[in-house]
Amino acid sequence: APAPAPAPAPAPAPATQEPSHSHPQETKTRAEKTKIPDGSKASLPTLKSFNPFSLHEVKRWKKNTLNFLHKEEVHAAKSALVMGDVALVVTGIQLQLSIFYEKMLAAQLMGNPSAGHHEHLAHVHHHREHACAQGSIAILSVLLLENLAILWATGWKKFIKKSSQVTDFVVVATSLVLELVFDQLTGFQRIVAELWRFVRIVHGSYETFFHSPLVAPLVTPDKGHH
């Protein structure tokens, strides 16, 4: 008789998966560790990491400011402004003398028809002198901003060590204040403001002939703004 067929082996019971008891925070940490970082994106600064008032950024801004102010083009522009201010001051003084002369003639010709003509000329000269003063105020404002930028970039301790910078700052700041209040000055204060204009002429001429990159090389080849 044929042998009985062997009974089939029982199927293995499915493995039961043990429930995970890991904390959600640990799962998130493992996921972040296994994430492949993108190097190109990680190197880019974000808005949150950028701080324009940090010590590193302030130093960088100061360095860039000094590099800009020390350019030859900037020195040439400053020299042109200084020469323009000297020209405006000299023109203003000449106009003031013309005003005084025309008023004196008008007073001598009182009752004469030509007296009105001299008074009109004095009025015209006064408007021209006022325009020169406004031009000087604009130039002095730019020069004062340049001095303040140097003071901020170098620091006041290094700034005061250079007598030329201190002198330039004092002359520019004082001249600007006197020009702004010139029309309100009377008596001795007016005389001081008038005499200070000659100080501006001397200072501006010195800066032009000895420190200007436009004129100094022609006058004194060994000089120049450094």
Side-chain angles (χ1 to χ4, degrees):
T16 58
Q17 185 177 2
E18 294 181 336
S20 176
H21 299 285
S22 60
H23 196 273
Q25 184 65 27
E26 297 178 357
T27 305
K28 182 178 180 181
T29 304
R30 288 197 298 268
E32 291 177 353
K33 290 182 178 180
T34 56
K35 183 179 179 181
I36 300 176
D38 188 355
S40 60
K41 294 182 179 180
S43 61
L44 295 177
T46 60
L47 292 177
K48 292 183 179 180
S49 63
F50 176 72
N51 182 10
F53 300 103
S54 65
L55 182 61
H56 174 72
E57 291 296 331
V58 171
K59 288 183 177 180
R60 186 173 66 87
W61 277 104
K62 289 183 177 182
K63 182 179 179 181
N64 293 339
T65 301
L66 286 178
N67 292 337
F68 173 77
L69 294 176
H70 288 163
K71 289 183 177 180
E72 289 296 327
E73 297 83 356
V74 177
H75 286 318
K78 178 183 177 181
S79 300
L81 290 175
V82 172
M83 289 186 288
D85 183 59
V86 171
L88 289 173
V89 173
V90 173
T91 304
I93 294 175
Q94 292 177 344
L95 289 172
Q96 285 182 333
L97 294 175
S98 298
I99 293 171
F100 176 78
Y101 176 74
E102 296 296 340
K103 287 185 176 180
M104 184 179 63
L105 289 179
Q108 292 177 353
L109 297 174
M110 184 67 66
N112 193 301
S114 60
H117 173 70
H118 293 288
E119 291 179 355
H120 173 72
L121 288 178
H123 185 71
V124 172
H125 293 329
H126 176 74
H127 278 283
R128 292 175 180 175
E129 191 270 337
H130 182 72
C132 290
Q134 294 299 316
S136 288
I137 291 174
I139 292 176
L140 291 171
S141 299
V142 175
L143 295 177
L144 181 61
L145 289 177
E146 186 255 353
N147 277 274
L148 292 176
I150 295 177
L151 175 61
W152 171 76
T154 60
W156 68 271
K157 291 184 179 181
K158 292 183 179 180
F159 185 86
I160 62 177
K161 290 181 179 180
K162 292 186 177 182
S163 58
S164 59
Q165 289 182 346
V166 177
T167 303
D168 189 51
F169 178 80
V170 172
V171 171
V172 170
T174 306
S175 302
L176 180 59
V177 172
L178 291 178
E179 286 293 340
L180 290 173
V181 300
F182 185 81
D183 293 336
Q184 286 76 36
L185 299 179
T186 57
F188 179 75
Q189 295 177 346
R190 182 71 172 239
I191 296 175
V192 172
E194 294 284 0
L195 294 176
W196 186 260
R197 290 183 170 179
F198 290 96
V199 175
R200 290 170 59 186
I201 295 174
V202 174
H203 175 262
S205 300
Y206 175 82
E207 289 290 327
T208 300
F209 287 105
F210 291 95
H211 291 166
S212 171
L214 301 177
V215 181
L218 302 177
V219 180
T220 51
D222 59 331
K223 299 290 183 179
H225 203 135
H226 301 288

